[in-house]
Amino acid sequence: MNSFTFNFNEMKKLFIKLVFFLIPLCLYLSANLCYNYDRYRNESVNLGPIEDLIIGDSQLMTALNPFLFKNAVNVCQSGEPLIVSYWKLKKILNSSKPLRVYLGFSPHTISSYNEHKFSDKKWAQDIFRKIYPIQDLNSISARVEIDFTSFYKTLFKQNAFYPKTKHAKYLGCFIKKTSSDVSNWELRTNQHFFYQEKLVGKSQITLDYLDSIIDLCQQFDLSLTLLGSPLHRNYYSNIPQSFLIDYKVTKAELEQRGVCIIDKSDGSSYSDSLFYDSNHLNQMGANRFTTEVLKLLISQGKFN
Amino acid sequence: MLFNSLDFAIFLPIVFFLYWFVMQNNLRYQNALIVLSSYIFYGWWDWRFLFLIIFSSCLDYFIGNRLKTESQQSKRKILLWFSIITNLGFLGFFKYYNFFLENFIDAFTLFGLQINTNSLNIILPVGISFYTFQTLSYTIDVYKHKLEPTEDFLAFSAFVCFFPQLVAGPIERATNLLPQFYRKRIFEYNKAIDGMRQILWGLFKKVVIADNCAEFANQIFNNSADMNGSTLFLGAVFFSFQIYGDFSGYSDIAIGVSRFFGFDLKQNFATPYFSRDIAEFWRRWHISLSSWFRDYLYIPLGGSRGGMWMKVRNTFAIFLVSGFWHGANWTFVIWGGLNALYFLPLLLSRNNRNNIGVVAEGKFLPSFGELISMLKTFTLTVFAWIFFRAENLEHAFSYIGAIFSPSLFSIPEFTGMRDALLTIGLIVLFLVFEWHGRTYKFGLNFISNFKSPVRYGLYYFLVILIMWFSDKQHEFIYFQF
């Protein structure tokens, strides 16, 4: 058995060096974190004097052209679940006062695949990157799994490295698509109505958040319209029947409660050339859909 | 446990503290702590396979000691073969059983015979190829009287399972590592700082270079049917840097962590992409495995002593076995064979030892001839890596076929091309560091001579880059081998 003396001075030297190396680094990162936290907590959304606000996911992002409105803004983001739309609307209403709100509402909007967006690696990181300034993850029901490790990593990455002046990545815009290829209908329906190869049902949590959005619009005296943008006939016919029934029942219940719904999701009257892919319209399709929506709203007296 | 994980970031300081502050006065306690912490490190992945390591340690410890006392050559030979067959038997079962079975069935089907056999759902124990070769080298060295067998079981167990290099090397020789477990270890500031620098460099290679390249290499290889020739070539280049950053990064971290505990491991990579020919490349790539095959396969087979035919046979033998060591897939065998083909002209013309020293030593830049030689060697290795990365031979051949098309001269196109440009920029930065550090043991070693502000500026820069890219956590490629 050997015995030997411990070289304390050498160890002390290392620790001092390490501490002196880490202090400036920690100070730098902490300063950025504090600055950015303060910045995004107090950042107001400046959309200007708008009348119409368009919220939803990529379907409405490509389908409703705000430039055909008098004074509208499209803030849709791809892959946005209604939970996020609610947080976003709340944030926007703190500083902007639109008259009307249009919310994307298609069969996949109420699919419970949306609940996995906060835990599945495919979506979580991207969604956290966009929503960290407006999120209220702790308030979501325990039934929704949330990958908090991934969230805090994203939060750190977005805020620790340099001071940012703008954090509003949760605000999207209208995207003009010019090409047309509808061949991905099977891939898309599998993504929207199946999770890990199992058929998913409707998401009660999403419906609860839809209720919250309706309440919020009532509270701020806003006219809310749910919009179902056209889906390619192959996509639409590939939606599982049980899900389609759920969707129609939900729609009927909402209409009974007085919610205005314009549903063009059975896009059989839209030719292939109007689609960007099986569930998104291209620019030509968007112009036609927007015009149709405007005509309907005018006929209903909701729009001048 | 991954080196670039939070688990390891907690594990390492605990072991370090216990090792130097609690067990400081007792070598046996320190070795016991190394064994225990190594078992925890390994068991973190799957504790069931710990029994394989323990069995292997017991077997070779016992055989080593029997070889010492046994004077009859025939019995010594039986003991040696018993160790070789048992160790390779485990490796063969876990790694190659299904491969042989599938090929066996295919061969029968070729002759119109149908046989029904069930393949097993076998989990490959992480690092089995590495520690098997390490224990084998011990027994063979004892058999050849190159090494005295150890009577200290704790030291031997620590040698077999030493956690920094347990799962992905470097494959240590008992002659180098085992004696370090008998000697008292004194904490040295300079050694620890050097270790930290090497860990930093290893993390940079893994997190910033390899993991970024992996994003694009995976995207291109997984969708190769839809990509043009130039994109496919770029995908192969990304994979070349992915595998280099991944594996050499792991080795750097392993060597750096070992230095923390007072151990010196062998250098495993020496800027291989600056090699001027394939022979030089193989002296600089995975040095611990290449030298293992040289000492325990090539030389026993006769090495370069016989005629030309023997040299060719032995060269093919080590390259094919080396390929097969990497995995149970014909793609690895072809990868090994292709490297043997690259090597052959150098061997036949006796030019395989032309480039022994470091390229452009003492010069700031290489000459035009050296640059062309390096580019030629790199291009050859890029093509060989396609076989290494491809799912199967069909994929590899179609990938290469699609590269050699008119679209090779078009602009690469794939999703995320803008991010790929940033990664290419990082690769260039990495190569600049590697070039300046090519005469040192690792890429960042040369900055120890820099003035403090520049040195610290570089450290901060690398730390920030590592933190920035640390969200794309990929497993080390060599874990699967």
Side-chain angles (χ1 to χ4, degrees):
Chain A
M1 195 170 295
N2 292 295
S3 78
F4 48 88
T5 51
F6 175 56
N7 201 338
F8 184 74
N9 286 337
E10 296 269 292
M11 186 71 83
K12 199 170 119 187
K13 212 167 133 185
L14 176 78
F15 276 110
I16 291 171
K17 203 100 182 189
L18 253 181
V19 168
F20 275 96
F21 177 77
L22 290 174
I23 285 174
L25 185 69
C26 291
L27 284 175
Y28 174 75
L29 297 174
S30 311
N32 284 328
L33 279 171
C34 293
Y35 173 84
N36 285 325
Y37 177 77
D38 180 64
R39 185 91 201 175
Y40 74 70
R41 292 294 287 186
N42 298 312
E43 189 178 45
S44 59
V45 183
N46 183 15
L47 297 177
I50 53 160
E51 290 179 1
D52 299 277
L53 178 68
I54 303 156
I55 289 192
D57 64 9
S58 57
Q59 280 186 200
L60 214 54
M61 181 171 85
T62 54
L64 206 60
N65 186 349
F67 303 107
L68 299 181
F69 286 71
K70 193 174 148 198
N71 208 351
V73 64
N74 186 328
V75 291
C76 296
Q77 274 277 18
S78 61
E80 182 174 298
L82 282 191
I83 301 172
V84 172
S85 298
Y86 170 69
W87 294 332
K88 193 150 107 178
L89 185 60
K90 235 168 78 169
K91 178 78 178 177
I92 290 171
L93 293 181
N94 280 338
S95 51
S96 293
K97 299 281 177 263
L99 302 173
R100 293 166 290 268
V101 173
Y102 306 94
L103 180 69
F105 185 72
S106 282
H108 80 283
T109 314
I110 56 164
S111 162
S112 61
Y113 99 99
N114 286 297
E115 292 173 11
H116 301 286
K117 286 185 173 171
F118 301 98
S119 57
D120 192 308
K121 279 195 170 73
K122 259 193 301 201
W123 301 294
Q125 231 171 31
D126 184 54
I127 212 159
F128 293 147
R129 188 178 59 82
K130 291 171 185 165
I131 64 152
Y132 71 87
I134 52 167
Q135 55 79 28
D136 189 6
L137 292 171
N138 290 318
S139 72
I140 302 182
S141 157
R143 277 180 293 159
V144 177
E145 203 187 321
I146 295 165
D147 181 358
F148 276 104
T149 312
S150 173
F151 172 69
Y152 287 117
K153 269 187 185 175
T154 310
L155 191 67
F156 183 80
K157 185 170 172 175
Q158 293 299 320
N159 294 292
F161 294 101
Y162 58 94
K164 280 183 182 176
T165 47
K166 281 184 181 171
H167 291 264
K169 282 182 188 156
Y170 52 89
L171 295 177
C173 61
F174 172 66
I175 304 275
K176 291 175 191 170
K177 300 282 189 184
T178 47
S179 57
S180 179
D181 176 10
V182 293
S183 60
N184 66 346
W185 52 272
E186 200 169 4
L187 183 89
R188 281 294 156 85
T189 46
N190 282 343
Q191 185 191 329
H192 290 159
F193 305 103
F194 293 85
Y195 186 69
Q196 291 171 347
E197 294 175 7
K198 282 185 190 151
L199 178 67
V200 293
K202 68 176 176 184
S203 161
Q204 190 50 51
I205 292 159
T206 302
L207 292 176
D208 292 345
Y209 273 86
L210 180 58
D211 279 344
S212 302
I213 291 173
I214 295 167
D215 291 345
L216 194 66
C217 288
Q218 281 171 352
Q219 192 188 325
F220 281 84
D221 202 19
L222 306 173
S223 149
L224 174 69
T225 305
L226 303 188
L227 288 180
S229 60
L231 301 168
H232 189 265
R233 57 185 175 280
N234 289 348
Y235 175 102
Y236 192 79
S237 60
N238 206 41
I239 297 172
Q241 273 308 306
S242 59
F243 201 94
L244 216 47
I245 292 166
D246 274 350
Y247 172 69
K248 284 174 180 166
V249 169
T250 308
K251 211 172 80 175
E253 283 169 2
L254 287 166
E255 277 169 335
Q256 265 183 357
R257 286 168 55 191
V259 179
C260 172
I261 302 177
I262 298 173
D263 184 16
K264 298 267 181 186
S265 52
D266 172 14
S268 48
S269 66
Y270 280 68
S271 66
D272 287 7
S273 63
L274 296 175
F275 285 93
Y276 163 67
D277 65 10
S278 61
N279 65 324
H280 297 98
L281 293 175
N282 60 22
Q283 198 184 350
M284 282 197 308
N287 288 347
R288 177 173 154 186
F289 175 66
T290 311
T291 313
E292 282 176 7
V293 169
L294 284 171
K295 274 184 189 164
L296 265 169
L297 290 171
I298 291 166
S299 69
Q300 289 171 2
K302 295 197 174 200
F303 201 84
N304 300 317
Chain B
M1 209 181 284
L2 291 174
F3 279 160
N4 54 333
S5 68
L6 185 65
D7 301 340
F8 188 73
I10 296 165
F11 170 85
L12 185 64
I14 295 172
V15 179
F16 182 84
F17 174 80
L18 292 173
Y19 184 84
W20 289 114
F21 289 89
V22 181
M23 315 288 185
Q24 49 162 309
N25 286 323
N26 194 310
L27 194 63
R28 285 186 69 79
Y29 287 172
Q30 279 191 329
N31 287 345
L33 178 71
I34 286 175
V35 174
L36 181 70
S37 49
S38 299
Y39 287 167
I40 292 171
F41 178 86
Y42 192 84
W44 210 256
W45 165 70
D46 195 329
W47 61 270
R48 291 170 300 172
F49 293 106
L50 270 177
F51 294 108
L52 274 178
I53 298 180
I54 296 168
F55 178 79
S56 214
S57 306
C58 294
L59 177 80
D60 285 286
Y61 172 77
F62 169 77
I63 287 181
N65 280 296
R66 279 296 304 275
L67 282 170
K68 188 185 179 182
T69 52
E70 188 57 65
S71 55
Q72 239 180 301
Q73 188 56 24
S74 58
K75 285 188 180 170
R76 294 186 87 241
K77 210 166 217 169
I78 290 170
L79 284 168
L80 173 72
W81 278 106
F82 184 71
S83 165
I84 292 175
I85 290 168
T86 312
N87 279 308
L88 292 183
F90 278 128
L91 183 63
F93 174 73
F94 283 103
K95 198 163 175 174
Y96 302 106
Y97 174 83
N98 281 336
F99 173 76
F100 281 119
L101 191 72
E102 280 162 23
N103 281 280
F104 184 67
I105 295 166
D106 287 349
F108 270 85
T109 313
L110 208 66
F111 294 105
L113 298 167
Q114 290 292 329
I115 52 165
N116 289 320
T117 45
N118 294 323
S119 62
L120 301 175
N121 185 18
I122 300 170
I123 303 169
L124 178 67
V126 166
I128 189 168
S129 309
F130 291 90
Y131 69 75
T132 301
F133 272 37
Q134 197 156 305
T135 54
L136 273 180
S137 77
Y138 166 80
T139 314
I140 297 169
D141 284 352
V142 170
Y143 174 79
K144 288 185 171 176
H145 301 288
K146 284 184 183 169
L147 181 74
E148 271 293 298
T150 180
E151 287 173 10
D152 184 344
F153 181 67
L154 209 53
F156 184 72
S157 299
F159 156 72
V160 176
C161 69
F162 187 41
F163 74 86
Q165 46 88 242
L166 171 63
V167 290
I171 301 165
E172 278 297 324
R173 302 293 178 80
T175 43
N176 176 49
L177 186 57
L178 193 54
Q180 296 186 51
F181 286 100
Y182 311 144
R183 285 197 295 266
K184 69 174 184 181
R185 273 90 68 174
I186 298 171
F187 181 83
E188 288 174 53
Y189 169 79
N190 285 332
K191 211 169 175 174
I193 286 287
D194 208 39
M196 288 178 85
R197 211 177 281 135
Q198 194 156 2
I199 292 171
L200 182 67
W201 188 236
L203 283 171
F204 172 77
K205 281 183 186 176
K206 167 65 184 155
V207 176
V208 180
I209 301 299
D211 288 354
N212 265 311
C213 287
E215 298 279 311
F216 306 109
N218 290 345
Q219 192 193 332
I220 294 168
F221 271 88
N222 294 343
N223 302 290
S224 56
D226 307 324
M227 303 282 178
N228 64 24
S230 58
T231 310
L232 292 173
F233 184 72
L234 188 64
V237 172
F238 276 131
F239 180 70
S240 305
F241 282 101
Q242 180 197 349
I243 193 154
Y244 176 49
D246 193 283
F247 192 22
S248 71
Y250 189 94
S251 293
D252 279 333
I253 300 168
I255 296 167
V257 169
S258 304
R259 303 203 91 189
F260 259 24
F261 295 92
F263 291 90
D264 285 308
L265 301 185
K266 282 197 289 187
Q267 188 182 9
N268 212 15
F269 289 86
T271 55
Y273 286 155
F274 297 139
S275 301
R276 288 152 288 181
D277 59 47
I278 280 293
E280 188 186 8
F281 176 82
W282 280 105
R283 282 191 296 274
R284 295 175 172 278
W285 178 274
H286 203 175
I287 300 165
S288 64
L289 181 72
S290 308
S291 61
W292 198 101
F293 279 122
R294 184 197 60 210
D295 295 346
Y296 299 106
L297 187 66
Y298 186 70
I299 293 173
L301 283 173
S304 308
R305 279 167 296 172
M308 199 51 81
W309 157 241
M310 197 179 226
K311 279 184 193 172
V312 173
R313 185 200 69 178
N314 295 347
T315 302
F316 266 94
I318 62 159
F319 276 110
L320 292 175
V321 173
S322 169
F324 201 49
W325 176 89
H326 283 86
N329 194 327
W330 286 111
T331 51
F332 293 114
V333 180
I334 298 291
W335 170 74
L338 194 56
N339 275 288
L341 280 177
Y342 291 163
F343 190 83
L344 213 55
L346 295 169
L347 183 78
L348 297 176
S349 59
R350 297 175 198 278
N351 285 325
N352 56 318
R353 299 193 70 79
N354 275 2
N355 297 309
I356 297 292
V358 175
V359 62
E361 197 164 6
K363 291 182 202 159
F364 188 68
L365 290 171
S367 66
F368 183 70
E370 284 168 333
L371 185 69
I372 294 296
S373 302
M374 286 191 288
L375 283 174
K376 189 185 76 192
T377 311
F378 179 70
T379 310
L380 288 174
T381 53
V382 166
F383 275 99
W385 287 130
I386 293 171
F387 285 94
F388 199 93
R389 173 62 180 78
E391 300 298 322
N392 48 48
L393 286 181
E394 197 188 339
H395 183 207
F397 286 121
S398 67
Y399 194 103
I400 292 173
I403 288 181
F404 290 107
S405 65
S407 63
L408 179 61
F409 303 100
S410 59
I411 294 167
E413 273 177 84
F414 59 98
T415 322
M417 190 59 203
R418 234 175 46 186
D419 292 338
L421 288 175
L422 172 72
T423 304
I424 291 168
L426 290 167
I427 291 172
V428 171
L429 177 80
F430 167 62
L431 287 176
V432 169
F433 271 88
E434 287 266 289
W435 179 258
H436 285 285
R438 69 194 184 284
T439 51
Y440 295 83
K441 282 195 168 178
F442 62 94
L444 205 60
N445 214 197
F446 73 98
I447 72 160
S448 57
N449 305 325
F450 285 15
K451 285 185 176 169
S452 292
V454 181
R455 207 169 64 238
Y456 276 79
L458 272 171
Y459 292 152
Y460 284 125
F461 175 65
L462 292 176
V463 169
I464 296 276
L465 276 180
I466 290 165
M467 288 165 92
W468 179 261
F469 288 106
S470 60
D471 51 343
K472 297 171 189 165
Q473 199 180 56
H474 291 261
E475 215 174 58
F476 287 92
I477 294 176
Y478 266 68
F479 276 16
Q480 62 185 295
F481 305 139

